[in-house]
Amino acid sequence: MAQKTLVSFTLNGKEVDVAVEPRELLIHTLRERLLHTGPHIGCETSHCGACTVDIDGMSVKSCTMLTVQCEGASMLTIEGLEQNGTLHALQQAFHEQHGLQCGYCTPGMITRAYRLLQENPNPTEEEIRYWISGNLCRCTGYQNIVKAVQAAAQKLAAQPA
């Protein structure tokens, strides 16, 4: 067994310290050590996007990142979007617009859409489709996912600054 390394980062607004083997993937640390099971293990090759998290303002597929690379980072998972029992506008819109069926891709899809709306608060349908193209959904056909992102963008734009 390899010697463990202590890694410290901020996860959904809370400081965490976790001892990991240097080769441990972030998805396994999140799910197995920190019990944040929102990011899903899908393909383990970065193709499906079910494991997408937001790290230091970038969408990252956590199945291809080592936990030790996260030292000092600020990380957001699907669990961190909900605040004080209130769903984020994206989470609510995915529910209202039927943007999910089985739900397996949904955490990664919403996390990716969150980053899109941070960088482009009013995306076109074409821009949404481009941004989510690295996140695969086998159930929905994407139309309601796009509608959900559009609805969330409108709701967020209407909120007072």
Side-chain angles (χ1 to χ4, degrees):
M1 179 184 264
Q3 185 172 347
K4 295 204 176 196
T5 301
L6 185 64
V7 182
S8 301
F9 54 88
T10 304
L11 176 61
N12 299 327
K14 296 179 181 154
E15 298 294 322
V16 297
D17 299 309
V18 61
V20 298
E21 289 187 25
R23 63 190 172 118
E24 186 168 307
L25 294 173
L26 177 58
I27 187 66
H28 296 297
T29 301
L30 290 172
R31 292 182 60 82
E32 298 161 19
R33 296 187 189 278
L34 301 175
L35 304 179
H36 279 71
T37 57
H40 292 151
I41 299 171
C43 64
E44 295 188 281
T45 61
S46 81
H47 289 96
C48 77
C51 66
T52 303
V53 298
D54 199 83
I55 300 177
D56 292 335
M58 293 176 49
S59 292
V60 175
K61 294 178 180 177
S62 61
C63 73
T64 59
M65 185 169 197
L66 299 172
T67 304
V68 295
Q69 293 175 282
C70 297
E71 177 63 39
S74 180
M75 189 179 317
L76 180 72
T77 67
I78 188 76
E79 292 96 340
L81 289 176
E82 172 269 328
Q83 295 294 312
N84 301 317
T86 302
L87 294 177
H88 185 275
L90 275 163
Q91 293 167 309
Q92 189 64 39
F94 266 68
H95 172 71
E96 291 170 357
Q97 298 296 322
H98 309 287
L100 62 124
Q101 285 181 19
C102 82
Y104 201 82
C105 72
T106 305
M109 197 72 74
I110 289 175
T111 305
R112 180 68 175 144
Y114 171 81
R115 177 53 35 210
L116 164 61
L117 295 181
Q118 294 299 300
E119 295 187 24
N120 181 356
N122 188 27
T124 64
E125 179 178 342
E126 183 177 307
E127 289 169 327
I128 294 168
R129 287 183 182 279
Y130 175 80
W131 269 72
I132 64 171
S133 64
N135 293 70
L136 301 180
C137 177
R138 295 190 167 127
C139 300
T140 67
Y142 299 96
Q143 190 56 39
N144 288 347
I145 292 171
V146 172
K147 286 181 186 177
V149 176
Q150 290 171 323
Q154 290 174 354
K155 185 174 183 178
L156 291 168
Q159 291 178 348

